[in-house]
Amino acid sequence: MGIRYLQRIAPHKGTDKNVTEQNTQAAGGYLASAEFAAMLDRLGEVAARTGLNVAPGQQVIMTAPLYAVPLVRRITEHAYKAGASLVTTFYSDEETTLARYQYGEESTFDTAAGWLAAGMAEGFRSGAARMAITGSNPALLAGQNPDHVSRASKAASKVNRPAMEIITNFDVNWCIVAAATPAWAMQVFPDLPEQQAVEKLWQAIFSVSRLNGDDPVGQWEAHNAILHRRAAFLNDVRYDALHFSGPGTDLLVGLADGHDWAGGAEKAGNGIVCNPNIPTEEVFTTPHRLRVEGTVASTKPLSHQGTLIDGIKVRFEGGRIVEMHATRGQDVLERVLDTDEGARRLGEVALVPHSSPISRSGLLFQNTLFDENAASHIALGQSYSKCMRDTQGQDEAALAARGANSSMIHIDWMIGSGEIDVDGLDAQGGRVPLMRKGEWVIAA
């Protein structure tokens, strides 16, 4: 479950196109079709009803790139139909994001909009739901000074920490969905003309978001039931650790004391059942920050801060990464690992079948919301306290004693494939197969 709270959404470099529904329709083809309008409305309905499950009288805080205006309008409409009292949307623009790194003074990259982060956190404390639309250009900052990018990201992480904790604690209902944008589409489909790339990306988003049937809300209810059965099985057996094995991987992941598996729709602290991620294929829990041993190799590239990090291989000792290598983007990975002490430890482990719709699509979305749901994965950094039992009244030190990790980052990377096996280990060393060749052994 990736880093999906106050994310900075970066729009498309080198374009001044007006993003209105009229211009989308003027593009012609699929984007002007009644089918596209209907699918976009379905996504808006699923986001508001299944994703957020907006409560009557609840406010909604939404963030989105400019190109997502048509989807923002559909989500807003369905949120109000569900009884929202107010929907407030903050838009971001890629040109202004990029301008900072091109023209900003050296001394300014440790600055972040703390006032905005504080306002967001206050909104969540007051009960507002969190809606995020992703669609950033994965390569926007690829040509910029990596030190500036790293410093700005760290500064933003610091001021966003209070809001991040509300989300990672699952105190309010929240959801993240995606909108196709030209820059992102051209990264996924680089050999196609821009309009065709955008059309294909929208179609892929609709497909893996389970919108193609007659009743997408009902389809999500059925899919959530499968994820809940898997999480319930894992919570019943209470494994002490997981063992991942396959090419380049021999990794033992100890699980936190009192860990709790989750997946699909869950009840937030405010009592509202929501789907934080649309799409989602994972069941996930909290690893023990001191009990991770062995080696692991990534099975898909990780897109981070404008860099594609590929060929990741790391070795853990005592829960901490002590050796690392990447065939591409190693310098960026090193900066990530140096963010803080917790950045070299795990905050999440997730199981995803190799046959998931996102894996079957054959696409590298270069977007964590999608790519993490193509394969089993681990996450560096912050733990989700929602994946711990009996946490009421426990502070960070008490949770750390049970194995929960603390960090300013939470970054998922994929370690599963059709060649990876996963076993569950009990405290006595007993071993039970959970996944073989990337597929569940247990019945759904």
Short mmCIF file of all heavy atoms in Angstrom, two decimals, residues 350-418:
data_model
loop_
_atom_site.label_atom_id
_atom_site.label_comp_id
_atom_site.label_asym_id
_atom_site.label_seq_id
_atom_site.Cartn_x
_atom_site.Cartn_y
_atom_site.Cartn_z
N ALA A 350 3.48 -7.13 1.30
CA ALA A 350 2.19 -7.36 0.65
C ALA A 350 2.28 -8.53 -0.30
O ALA A 350 3.30 -8.73 -0.98
CB ALA A 350 1.74 -6.10 -0.09
N LEU A 351 1.21 -9.30 -0.37
CA LEU A 351 1.11 -10.45 -1.25
C LEU A 351 0.10 -10.16 -2.36
O LEU A 351 -1.04 -9.76 -2.08
CB LEU A 351 0.70 -11.70 -0.46
CG LEU A 351 1.65 -12.10 0.68
CD1 LEU A 351 1.10 -13.32 1.41
CD2 LEU A 351 3.06 -12.36 0.15
N VAL A 352 0.54 -10.34 -3.60
CA VAL A 352 -0.28 -10.07 -4.79
C VAL A 352 -0.09 -11.22 -5.76
O VAL A 352 1.06 -11.59 -6.06
CB VAL A 352 0.14 -8.76 -5.47
CG1 VAL A 352 -0.68 -8.51 -6.74
CG2 VAL A 352 0.02 -7.57 -4.52
N PRO A 353 -1.15 -11.81 -6.31
CA PRO A 353 -0.98 -12.90 -7.26
C PRO A 353 -0.42 -12.41 -8.59
O PRO A 353 -0.74 -11.31 -9.05
CB PRO A 353 -2.40 -13.46 -7.43
CG PRO A 353 -3.30 -12.32 -7.09
CD PRO A 353 -2.59 -11.53 -6.03
N HIS A 354 0.42 -13.24 -9.19
CA HIS A 354 1.02 -12.91 -10.48
C HIS A 354 -0.04 -12.76 -11.57
O HIS A 354 0.18 -12.08 -12.57
CB HIS A 354 2.03 -13.98 -10.87
CG HIS A 354 2.73 -13.74 -12.17
ND1 HIS A 354 3.51 -12.62 -12.40
CD2 HIS A 354 2.76 -14.48 -13.32
CE1 HIS A 354 4.00 -12.67 -13.63
NE2 HIS A 354 3.56 -13.78 -14.20
N SER A 355 -1.21 -13.36 -11.36
CA SER A 355 -2.29 -13.32 -12.36
C SER A 355 -3.21 -12.11 -12.18
O SER A 355 -4.29 -12.07 -12.78
CB SER A 355 -3.13 -14.60 -12.26
OG SER A 355 -3.67 -14.75 -10.95
N SER A 356 -2.81 -11.12 -11.40
CA SER A 356 -3.65 -9.94 -11.20
C SER A 356 -3.89 -9.24 -12.53
O SER A 356 -3.09 -9.36 -13.46
CB SER A 356 -2.99 -8.97 -10.22
OG SER A 356 -1.97 -8.23 -10.87
N PRO A 357 -5.02 -8.52 -12.67
CA PRO A 357 -5.29 -7.83 -13.94
C PRO A 357 -4.17 -6.90 -14.36
O PRO A 357 -3.90 -6.74 -15.57
CB PRO A 357 -6.58 -7.04 -13.64
CG PRO A 357 -7.24 -7.81 -12.55
CD PRO A 357 -6.12 -8.36 -11.70
N ILE A 358 -3.50 -6.27 -13.42
CA ILE A 358 -2.42 -5.33 -13.76
C ILE A 358 -1.22 -6.10 -14.29
O ILE A 358 -0.59 -5.69 -15.27
CB ILE A 358 -2.06 -4.47 -12.54
CG1 ILE A 358 -3.27 -3.63 -12.15
CG2 ILE A 358 -0.86 -3.57 -12.84
CD1 ILE A 358 -3.16 -2.96 -10.81
N SER A 359 -0.91 -7.23 -13.68
CA SER A 359 0.17 -8.07 -14.20
C SER A 359 -0.18 -8.58 -15.60
O SER A 359 0.66 -8.57 -16.50
CB SER A 359 0.44 -9.23 -13.25
OG SER A 359 1.45 -10.07 -13.76
N ARG A 360 -1.42 -9.03 -15.78
CA ARG A 360 -1.85 -9.57 -17.09
C ARG A 360 -1.82 -8.52 -18.18
O ARG A 360 -1.67 -8.84 -19.35
CB ARG A 360 -3.25 -10.17 -16.99
CG ARG A 360 -3.33 -11.44 -16.15
CD ARG A 360 -4.60 -12.22 -16.49
NE ARG A 360 -5.79 -11.39 -16.40
CZ ARG A 360 -6.54 -11.27 -15.33
NH1 ARG A 360 -6.19 -11.90 -14.20
NH2 ARG A 360 -7.62 -10.52 -15.33
N SER A 361 -1.95 -7.25 -17.81
CA SER A 361 -1.93 -6.19 -18.82
C SER A 361 -0.57 -6.09 -19.51
O SER A 361 -0.47 -5.59 -20.63
CB SER A 361 -2.28 -4.84 -18.19
OG SER A 361 -1.19 -4.32 -17.43
N GLY A 362 0.48 -6.55 -18.83
CA GLY A 362 1.82 -6.48 -19.39
C GLY A 362 2.42 -5.09 -19.40
O GLY A 362 3.50 -4.89 -19.96
N LEU A 363 1.75 -4.14 -18.76
CA LEU A 363 2.20 -2.75 -18.79
C LEU A 363 3.02 -2.41 -17.55
O LEU A 363 2.71 -2.88 -16.45
CB LEU A 363 1.00 -1.80 -18.86
CG LEU A 363 0.11 -1.89 -20.10
CD1 LEU A 363 -1.08 -0.95 -19.95
CD2 LEU A 363 0.90 -1.55 -21.37
N LEU A 364 4.05 -1.61 -17.74
CA LEU A 364 4.72 -0.96 -16.62
C LEU A 364 4.15 0.44 -16.54
O LEU A 364 4.45 1.30 -17.37
CB LEU A 364 6.24 -0.92 -16.84
CG LEU A 364 7.02 -0.21 -15.72
CD1 LEU A 364 6.91 -0.99 -14.41
CD2 LEU A 364 8.48 -0.02 -16.12
N PHE A 365 3.29 0.69 -15.56
CA PHE A 365 2.61 1.97 -15.46
C PHE A 365 3.52 3.09 -14.94
O PHE A 365 3.20 4.26 -15.10
CB PHE A 365 1.39 1.85 -14.53
CG PHE A 365 0.21 1.15 -15.14
CD1 PHE A 365 0.10 -0.24 -15.09
CD2 PHE A 365 -0.78 1.87 -15.78
CE1 PHE A 365 -0.99 -0.89 -15.64
CE2 PHE A 365 -1.88 1.23 -16.35
CZ PHE A 365 -1.98 -0.17 -16.28
N GLN A 366 4.64 2.72 -14.32
CA GLN A 366 5.54 3.70 -13.71
C GLN A 366 4.78 4.56 -12.70
O GLN A 366 5.03 5.75 -12.54
CB GLN A 366 6.22 4.57 -14.77
CG GLN A 366 7.08 3.76 -15.73
CD GLN A 366 7.84 4.63 -16.70
OE1 GLN A 366 8.45 5.63 -16.32
NE2 GLN A 366 7.82 4.25 -17.97
N ASN A 367 3.83 3.94 -12.04
CA ASN A 367 3.00 4.59 -11.03
C ASN A 367 2.72 3.55 -9.96
O ASN A 367 2.17 2.48 -10.25
CB ASN A 367 1.70 5.09 -11.66
CG ASN A 367 0.83 5.85 -10.68
OD1 ASN A 367 0.41 5.32 -9.66
ND2 ASN A 367 0.52 7.09 -11.01
N THR A 368 3.09 3.84 -8.72
CA THR A 368 3.02 2.85 -7.65
C THR A 368 1.61 2.32 -7.44
O THR A 368 1.42 1.13 -7.13
CB THR A 368 3.55 3.44 -6.33
OG1 THR A 368 4.90 3.85 -6.52
CG2 THR A 368 3.50 2.43 -5.21
N LEU A 369 0.59 3.15 -7.61
CA LEU A 369 -0.78 2.70 -7.42
C LEU A 369 -1.07 1.46 -8.25
O LEU A 369 -1.77 0.55 -7.81
CB LEU A 369 -1.75 3.83 -7.79
CG LEU A 369 -3.25 3.49 -7.78
CD1 LEU A 369 -3.69 3.13 -6.37
CD2 LEU A 369 -4.06 4.65 -8.33
N PHE A 370 -0.51 1.40 -9.45
CA PHE A 370 -0.75 0.28 -10.35
C PHE A 370 0.33 -0.79 -10.21
O PHE A 370 0.03 -1.97 -10.05
CB PHE A 370 -0.83 0.77 -11.79
CG PHE A 370 -2.01 1.66 -12.04
CD1 PHE A 370 -1.92 3.02 -11.82
CD2 PHE A 370 -3.22 1.13 -12.46
CE1 PHE A 370 -3.02 3.85 -12.02
CE2 PHE A 370 -4.33 1.94 -12.67
CZ PHE A 370 -4.22 3.31 -12.44
N ASP A 371 1.60 -0.38 -10.30
CA ASP A 371 2.68 -1.36 -10.37
C ASP A 371 2.77 -2.21 -9.11
O ASP A 371 3.15 -3.38 -9.17
CB ASP A 371 4.01 -0.67 -10.66
CG ASP A 371 4.05 -0.07 -12.06
OD1 ASP A 371 3.33 -0.58 -12.94
OD2 ASP A 371 4.79 0.91 -12.26
N GLU A 372 2.45 -1.65 -7.93
CA GLU A 372 2.51 -2.46 -6.71
C GLU A 372 1.43 -3.54 -6.71
O GLU A 372 1.54 -4.52 -5.96
CB GLU A 372 2.38 -1.59 -5.47
CG GLU A 372 0.98 -1.05 -5.22
CD GLU A 372 0.80 -0.53 -3.80
OE1 GLU A 372 1.78 -0.54 -3.05
OE2 GLU A 372 -0.32 -0.12 -3.47
N ASN A 373 0.40 -3.37 -7.51
CA ASN A 373 -0.67 -4.36 -7.59
C ASN A 373 -0.47 -5.35 -8.72
O ASN A 373 -1.38 -6.11 -9.06
CB ASN A 373 -2.02 -3.66 -7.71
CG ASN A 373 -2.46 -3.05 -6.40
OD1 ASN A 373 -2.69 -3.76 -5.43
ND2 ASN A 373 -2.55 -1.72 -6.35
N ALA A 374 0.73 -5.33 -9.30
CA ALA A 374 1.10 -6.32 -10.29
C ALA A 374 1.92 -7.44 -9.68
O ALA A 374 2.10 -8.49 -10.30
CB ALA A 374 1.89 -5.67 -11.42
N ALA A 375 2.44 -7.24 -8.47
CA ALA A 375 3.35 -8.22 -7.88
C ALA A 375 3.42 -8.04 -6.37
O ALA A 375 3.20 -6.95 -5.84
CB ALA A 375 4.75 -8.06 -8.48
N SER A 376 3.75 -9.14 -5.67
CA SER A 376 4.04 -9.03 -4.24
C SER A 376 5.15 -8.01 -4.05
O SER A 376 6.04 -7.87 -4.89
CB SER A 376 4.46 -10.38 -3.68
OG SER A 376 3.39 -11.31 -3.73
N HIS A 377 5.10 -7.29 -2.94
CA HIS A 377 6.06 -6.20 -2.76
C HIS A 377 6.36 -5.96 -1.29
O HIS A 377 5.68 -6.46 -0.39
CB HIS A 377 5.55 -4.91 -3.42
CG HIS A 377 4.18 -4.49 -2.98
ND1 HIS A 377 3.04 -4.93 -3.59
CD2 HIS A 377 3.77 -3.65 -1.99
CE1 HIS A 377 1.98 -4.40 -3.00
NE2 HIS A 377 2.40 -3.61 -2.03
N ILE A 378 7.40 -5.19 -1.08
CA ILE A 378 7.77 -4.69 0.24
C ILE A 378 7.86 -3.18 0.13
O ILE A 378 7.96 -2.63 -0.97
CB ILE A 378 9.12 -5.28 0.72
CG1 ILE A 378 10.22 -5.09 -0.33
CG2 ILE A 378 8.95 -6.74 1.11
CD1 ILE A 378 11.57 -5.65 0.06
N ALA A 379 7.80 -2.51 1.27
CA ALA A 379 7.92 -1.06 1.28
C ALA A 379 8.95 -0.63 2.30
O ALA A 379 8.93 -1.09 3.44
CB ALA A 379 6.58 -0.39 1.59
N LEU A 380 9.85 0.23 1.88
CA LEU A 380 10.79 0.85 2.78
C LEU A 380 10.09 1.96 3.56
O LEU A 380 9.29 2.71 3.00
CB LEU A 380 11.97 1.46 2.01
CG LEU A 380 12.79 0.50 1.15
CD1 LEU A 380 13.77 1.29 0.29
CD2 LEU A 380 13.53 -0.50 2.03
N GLY A 381 10.39 2.07 4.87
CA GLY A 381 9.94 3.24 5.61
C GLY A 381 8.78 3.00 6.55
O GLY A 381 8.68 1.98 7.22
N GLN A 382 7.87 3.96 6.59
CA GLN A 382 6.82 4.06 7.58
C GLN A 382 5.87 2.86 7.56
O GLN A 382 5.43 2.42 6.51
CB GLN A 382 6.01 5.34 7.37
CG GLN A 382 4.87 5.56 8.34
CD GLN A 382 5.35 5.84 9.75
OE1 GLN A 382 6.39 6.45 9.95
NE2 GLN A 382 4.60 5.39 10.74
N SER A 383 5.54 2.35 8.75
CA SER A 383 4.54 1.30 8.89
C SER A 383 3.14 1.91 8.94
O SER A 383 2.97 3.08 9.27
CB SER A 383 4.77 0.52 10.19
OG SER A 383 5.99 -0.15 10.19
N TYR A 384 2.15 1.08 8.61
CA TYR A 384 0.75 1.45 8.80
C TYR A 384 0.29 0.88 10.13
O TYR A 384 0.19 -0.34 10.29
CB TYR A 384 -0.12 0.89 7.67
CG TYR A 384 0.05 1.60 6.36
CD1 TYR A 384 0.79 1.01 5.33
CD2 TYR A 384 -0.54 2.83 6.12
CE1 TYR A 384 0.95 1.66 4.11
CE2 TYR A 384 -0.39 3.48 4.91
CZ TYR A 384 0.35 2.88 3.91
OH TYR A 384 0.49 3.52 2.70
N SER A 385 -0.02 1.75 11.09
CA SER A 385 -0.45 1.26 12.40
C SER A 385 -1.80 0.56 12.31
O SER A 385 -2.17 -0.21 13.20
CB SER A 385 -0.51 2.40 13.41
OG SER A 385 -1.42 3.40 13.02
N LYS A 386 -2.56 0.80 11.22
CA LYS A 386 -3.81 0.08 11.02
C LYS A 386 -3.57 -1.42 10.88
O LYS A 386 -4.49 -2.22 11.05
CB LYS A 386 -4.55 0.61 9.80
CG LYS A 386 -3.98 0.16 8.46
CD LYS A 386 -4.79 0.65 7.28
CE LYS A 386 -6.14 0.00 7.19
NZ LYS A 386 -6.08 -1.43 6.81
N CYS A 387 -2.34 -1.81 10.56
CA CYS A 387 -2.00 -3.23 10.43
C CYS A 387 -1.39 -3.78 11.71
O CYS A 387 -0.55 -4.69 11.68
CB CYS A 387 -1.05 -3.44 9.25
SG CYS A 387 -1.81 -3.15 7.66
N MET A 388 -1.79 -3.20 12.84
CA MET A 388 -1.38 -3.66 14.16
C MET A 388 -2.63 -3.76 15.03
O MET A 388 -3.49 -2.87 14.99
CB MET A 388 -0.39 -2.69 14.80
CG MET A 388 0.88 -2.44 14.01
SD MET A 388 2.12 -3.71 14.23
CE MET A 388 2.71 -3.32 15.88
N ARG A 389 -2.72 -4.81 15.81
CA ARG A 389 -3.84 -4.97 16.73
C ARG A 389 -3.57 -4.26 18.06
O ARG A 389 -2.42 -4.12 18.47
CB ARG A 389 -4.11 -6.45 16.99
CG ARG A 389 -4.56 -7.22 15.76
CD ARG A 389 -4.92 -8.65 16.10
NE ARG A 389 -5.50 -9.31 14.93
CZ ARG A 389 -6.02 -10.54 14.94
NH1 ARG A 389 -6.00 -11.24 16.08
NH2 ARG A 389 -6.52 -11.06 13.85
N ASP A 390 -4.66 -3.85 18.69
CA ASP A 390 -4.59 -3.32 20.07
C ASP A 390 -3.59 -2.17 20.19
O ASP A 390 -2.70 -2.18 21.04
CB ASP A 390 -4.22 -4.44 21.05
CG ASP A 390 -5.18 -5.61 20.98
OD1 ASP A 390 -6.39 -5.37 20.84
OD2 ASP A 390 -4.71 -6.76 21.03
N THR A 391 -3.76 -1.16 19.35
CA THR A 391 -2.82 -0.03 19.34
C THR A 391 -3.31 1.17 20.15
O THR A 391 -2.55 2.12 20.35
CB THR A 391 -2.55 0.44 17.91
OG1 THR A 391 -3.80 0.84 17.31
CG2 THR A 391 -1.93 -0.66 17.09
N GLN A 392 -4.55 1.15 20.59
CA GLN A 392 -5.10 2.31 21.30
C GLN A 392 -4.28 2.61 22.56
O GLN A 392 -4.01 1.73 23.37
CB GLN A 392 -6.56 2.07 21.68
CG GLN A 392 -7.24 3.32 22.22
CD GLN A 392 -8.74 3.14 22.32
OE1 GLN A 392 -9.27 2.10 21.98
NE2 GLN A 392 -9.43 4.16 22.78
N GLY A 393 -3.86 3.87 22.66
CA GLY A 393 -3.10 4.30 23.81
C GLY A 393 -1.61 4.03 23.71
O GLY A 393 -0.86 4.41 24.61
N GLN A 394 -1.17 3.41 22.62
CA GLN A 394 0.25 3.11 22.46
C GLN A 394 0.93 4.20 21.64
O GLN A 394 0.45 4.55 20.55
CB GLN A 394 0.45 1.75 21.79
CG GLN A 394 -0.04 0.59 22.64
CD GLN A 394 0.53 -0.75 22.18
OE1 GLN A 394 0.96 -0.89 21.04
NE2 GLN A 394 0.53 -1.72 23.07
N ASP A 395 2.03 4.71 22.14
CA ASP A 395 2.76 5.74 21.41
C ASP A 395 3.75 5.10 20.44
O ASP A 395 3.82 3.86 20.30
CB ASP A 395 3.48 6.69 22.38
CG ASP A 395 4.46 5.97 23.30
OD1 ASP A 395 4.82 4.80 23.03
OD2 ASP A 395 4.89 6.59 24.29
N GLU A 396 4.53 5.94 19.75
CA GLU A 396 5.45 5.44 18.74
C GLU A 396 6.48 4.48 19.33
O GLU A 396 6.84 3.48 18.70
CB GLU A 396 6.16 6.62 18.06
CG GLU A 396 7.02 6.23 16.87
CD GLU A 396 7.57 7.44 16.13
OE1 GLU A 396 6.77 8.17 15.53
OE2 GLU A 396 8.79 7.63 16.18
N ALA A 397 6.95 4.76 20.55
CA ALA A 397 7.94 3.89 21.19
C ALA A 397 7.35 2.52 21.48
O ALA A 397 8.02 1.48 21.29
CB ALA A 397 8.45 4.53 22.48
N ALA A 398 6.10 2.47 21.92
CA ALA A 398 5.47 1.19 22.21
C ALA A 398 5.26 0.38 20.93
O ALA A 398 5.47 -0.84 20.92
CB ALA A 398 4.14 1.43 22.91
N LEU A 399 4.86 1.06 19.86
CA LEU A 399 4.68 0.37 18.59
C LEU A 399 6.02 -0.11 18.04
O LEU A 399 6.11 -1.21 17.48
CB LEU A 399 4.00 1.29 17.58
CG LEU A 399 2.54 1.66 17.89
CD1 LEU A 399 2.03 2.68 16.88
CD2 LEU A 399 1.66 0.42 17.90
N ALA A 400 7.07 0.68 18.22
CA ALA A 400 8.40 0.28 17.76
C ALA A 400 8.87 -0.97 18.50
O ALA A 400 9.51 -1.85 17.92
CB ALA A 400 9.40 1.41 17.96
N ALA A 401 8.54 -1.07 19.79
CA ALA A 401 8.92 -2.25 20.57
C ALA A 401 8.24 -3.50 20.03
O ALA A 401 8.76 -4.61 20.19
CB ALA A 401 8.57 -2.04 22.04
N ARG A 402 7.08 -3.32 19.38
CA ARG A 402 6.38 -4.47 18.79
C ARG A 402 6.84 -4.73 17.36
O ARG A 402 6.39 -5.70 16.74
CB ARG A 402 4.88 -4.19 18.81
CG ARG A 402 4.30 -4.12 20.21
CD ARG A 402 2.85 -3.66 20.20
NE ARG A 402 2.01 -4.53 19.37
CZ ARG A 402 0.73 -4.27 19.10
NH1 ARG A 402 0.16 -3.18 19.60
NH2 ARG A 402 0.03 -5.10 18.36
N GLY A 403 7.70 -3.85 16.83
CA GLY A 403 8.26 -4.07 15.50
C GLY A 403 7.89 -3.06 14.45
O GLY A 403 8.40 -3.11 13.32
N ALA A 404 7.00 -2.12 14.75
CA ALA A 404 6.58 -1.13 13.75
C ALA A 404 7.73 -0.16 13.44
O ALA A 404 8.46 0.25 14.35
CB ALA A 404 5.37 -0.35 14.24
N ASN A 405 7.86 0.20 12.19
CA ASN A 405 8.93 1.11 11.75
C ASN A 405 8.42 2.53 11.63
O ASN A 405 7.24 2.77 11.37
CB ASN A 405 9.49 0.64 10.41
CG ASN A 405 10.79 1.32 10.06
OD1 ASN A 405 11.62 1.57 10.92
ND2 ASN A 405 10.97 1.64 8.78
N SER A 406 9.34 3.48 11.80
CA SER A 406 8.99 4.90 11.67
C SER A 406 9.96 5.56 10.70
O SER A 406 11.17 5.36 10.76
CB SER A 406 9.07 5.60 13.03
OG SER A 406 8.78 6.98 12.91
N SER A 407 9.41 6.35 9.77
CA SER A 407 10.23 7.02 8.77
C SER A 407 9.42 8.12 8.10
O SER A 407 8.19 8.13 8.18
CB SER A 407 10.72 6.02 7.72
OG SER A 407 11.43 6.66 6.68
N MET A 408 10.09 9.03 7.42
CA MET A 408 9.42 10.07 6.65
C MET A 408 8.99 9.56 5.29
O MET A 408 8.29 10.25 4.55
CB MET A 408 10.33 11.29 6.49
CG MET A 408 10.54 12.06 7.77
SD MET A 408 11.43 13.61 7.48
CE MET A 408 13.04 12.99 6.97
N ILE A 409 9.44 8.35 4.89
CA ILE A 409 9.11 7.83 3.57
C ILE A 409 8.27 6.56 3.70
O ILE A 409 8.20 5.93 4.75
CB ILE A 409 10.37 7.52 2.74
CG1 ILE A 409 11.15 6.34 3.36
CG2 ILE A 409 11.24 8.76 2.61
CD1 ILE A 409 12.21 5.77 2.45
N HIS A 410 7.63 6.20 2.62
CA HIS A 410 6.98 4.89 2.47
C HIS A 410 7.00 4.61 0.97
O HIS A 410 6.21 5.16 0.21
CB HIS A 410 5.56 4.90 3.01
CG HIS A 410 4.87 3.57 2.90
ND1 HIS A 410 4.74 2.71 3.96
CD2 HIS A 410 4.30 2.95 1.84
CE1 HIS A 410 4.10 1.61 3.56
NE2 HIS A 410 3.83 1.74 2.27
N ILE A 411 7.92 3.76 0.54
CA ILE A 411 8.15 3.55 -0.89
C ILE A 411 8.10 2.05 -1.18
O ILE A 411 8.91 1.27 -0.68
CB ILE A 411 9.51 4.12 -1.33
CG1 ILE A 411 9.53 5.65 -1.07
CG2 ILE A 411 9.76 3.83 -2.81
CD1 ILE A 411 10.87 6.29 -1.35
N ASP A 412 7.13 1.66 -2.02
CA ASP A 412 6.95 0.26 -2.38
C ASP A 412 7.82 -0.13 -3.56
O ASP A 412 7.96 0.64 -4.52
CB ASP A 412 5.48 0.01 -2.77
CG ASP A 412 4.51 0.40 -1.67
OD1 ASP A 412 4.23 1.60 -1.51
OD2 ASP A 412 4.02 -0.51 -1.00
N TRP A 413 8.35 -1.35 -3.51
CA TRP A 413 8.98 -1.89 -4.71
C TRP A 413 8.71 -3.38 -4.81
O TRP A 413 8.54 -4.09 -3.83
CB TRP A 413 10.47 -1.55 -4.80
CG TRP A 413 11.34 -1.85 -3.64
CD1 TRP A 413 11.37 -1.19 -2.45
CD2 TRP A 413 12.34 -2.86 -3.55
NE1 TRP A 413 12.32 -1.72 -1.64
CE2 TRP A 413 12.94 -2.75 -2.27
CE3 TRP A 413 12.82 -3.85 -4.42
CZ2 TRP A 413 13.96 -3.59 -1.85
CZ3 TRP A 413 13.83 -4.69 -4.00
CH2 TRP A 413 14.40 -4.55 -2.74
N MET A 414 8.63 -3.85 -6.06
CA MET A 414 8.07 -5.15 -6.36
C MET A 414 9.13 -6.25 -6.31
O MET A 414 10.19 -6.13 -6.90
CB MET A 414 7.42 -5.12 -7.74
CG MET A 414 6.04 -4.46 -7.76
SD MET A 414 5.92 -2.85 -6.91
CE MET A 414 6.69 -1.77 -8.11
N ILE A 415 8.77 -7.35 -5.61
CA ILE A 415 9.69 -8.48 -5.48
C ILE A 415 9.03 -9.79 -5.91
O ILE A 415 9.65 -10.85 -5.84
CB ILE A 415 10.23 -8.62 -4.04
CG1 ILE A 415 9.09 -8.93 -3.07
CG2 ILE A 415 10.95 -7.33 -3.62
CD1 ILE A 415 9.58 -9.30 -1.67
N GLY A 416 7.78 -9.74 -6.34
CA GLY A 416 7.06 -10.94 -6.75
C GLY A 416 7.06 -11.13 -8.26
O GLY A 416 7.24 -10.18 -9.02
N SER A 417 6.85 -12.37 -8.69
CA SER A 417 6.76 -12.68 -10.12
C SER A 417 6.23 -14.10 -10.25
O SER A 417 5.91 -14.77 -9.25
CB SER A 417 8.13 -12.60 -10.79
OG SER A 417 8.95 -13.71 -10.44
N GLY A 418 6.15 -14.59 -11.48
CA GLY A 418 5.73 -15.96 -11.72
C GLY A 418 6.79 -16.97 -11.34
O GLY A 418 6.58 -18.18 -11.53
#
